[in-house]
Amino acid sequence: MTVMFLTSYLFMCIFPFALRRIFAVFAAAIVLASCSQKPIAFTDYTVQELLKKNIAELAEPAFFELESVEVLNKNDGGESASADVYVTLRFPEDFDTVVGMRKLAPFNMEYKQYKSSFGSFKAGETQRHHARYQFVRRDGKWFIAGSKALSAPKIERP
């Protein structure tokens, strides 16, 4: 009886401790695996979302509406990538109204940026820009590194 008691006592004391240890190691491995930095794939969705965010931050408050972002083709080079894209913008106000609302002087950098990027747009005008964007991956995430216009924008006036 003493041997049986001793065996069951050891089994109840040591085995649960071993199980708890194994469970803790297993749980830690699952947490570490789920929290690991997995690189984000370079997809059409990634390109569209990065451009939407970038364009939304371009002018606060926005003086144009982003109608569409169309990815024509993309090249993934591992830590760098590029994509040819059509971006369609619609301008509810004309250029002079935007300049007046923002109180921009002709030699102001913001004025020059708007003028060189969009020209003297009219109210209701739609511009379709064709550009190649370069992207880089840092810490597993994609960022826009630069852009280059591939052709003059296609302008549709109301």
Side-chain angles (χ1 to χ4, degrees):
M1 183 103 157
T2 309
V3 173
M4 193 166 159
F5 175 75
L6 189 57
T7 306
S8 66
Y9 177 76
L10 287 175
F11 182 76
M12 299 206 30
C13 291
I14 295 173
F15 189 65
F17 176 75
L19 267 181
R20 282 182 285 184
R21 172 84 69 177
I22 290 170
F23 179 74
V25 170
F26 183 68
I30 289 174
V31 169
L32 288 175
S34 66
C35 295
S36 67
Q37 289 284 347
K38 296 178 185 172
I40 296 171
F42 188 71
T43 63
D44 287 1
Y45 178 79
T46 305
V47 172
Q48 290 169 345
E49 291 304 308
L50 285 171
L51 289 175
K52 285 178 186 177
K53 182 181 177 218
N54 182 270
I55 289 170
E57 294 171 353
L58 183 64
E60 288 289 330
F63 60 90
F64 56 81
E65 299 166 2
L66 177 64
E67 285 193 348
S68 67
V69 176
E70 180 184 345
V71 179
L72 302 175
N73 60 46
K74 61 186 181 319
N75 299 313
D76 186 355
E79 296 302 311
S80 64
S82 66
D84 293 348
V85 179
Y86 277 125
V87 177
T88 306
L89 306 173
R90 186 180 168 286
F91 297 88
E93 304 288 339
D94 64 9
F95 183 76
D96 295 330
T97 303
V98 171
V99 168
M101 287 183 344
R102 294 176 183 266
K103 299 177 181 157
L104 301 177
F107 297 107
N108 180 299
M109 284 305 294
E110 192 174 2
Y111 175 91
K112 289 181 179 183
Q113 179 185 5
Y114 295 159
K115 185 77 167 175
S116 67
S117 297
F118 310 113
S120 293
F121 48 87
K122 305 290 182 208
E125 178 175 296
T126 301
Q127 294 184 4
R128 189 171 191 204
H129 295 262
H130 184 200
R132 176 170 293 137
Y133 288 87
Q134 290 81 36
F135 301 87
V136 293
R137 186 187 340 231
R138 279 184 251 132
D139 299 327
K141 296 180 182 178
W142 288 101
F143 298 92
I144 298 173
S147 65
K148 177 184 176 185
L150 297 177
S151 63
K154 180 182 175 188
I155 298 172
E156 295 177 15
R157 296 211 163 117

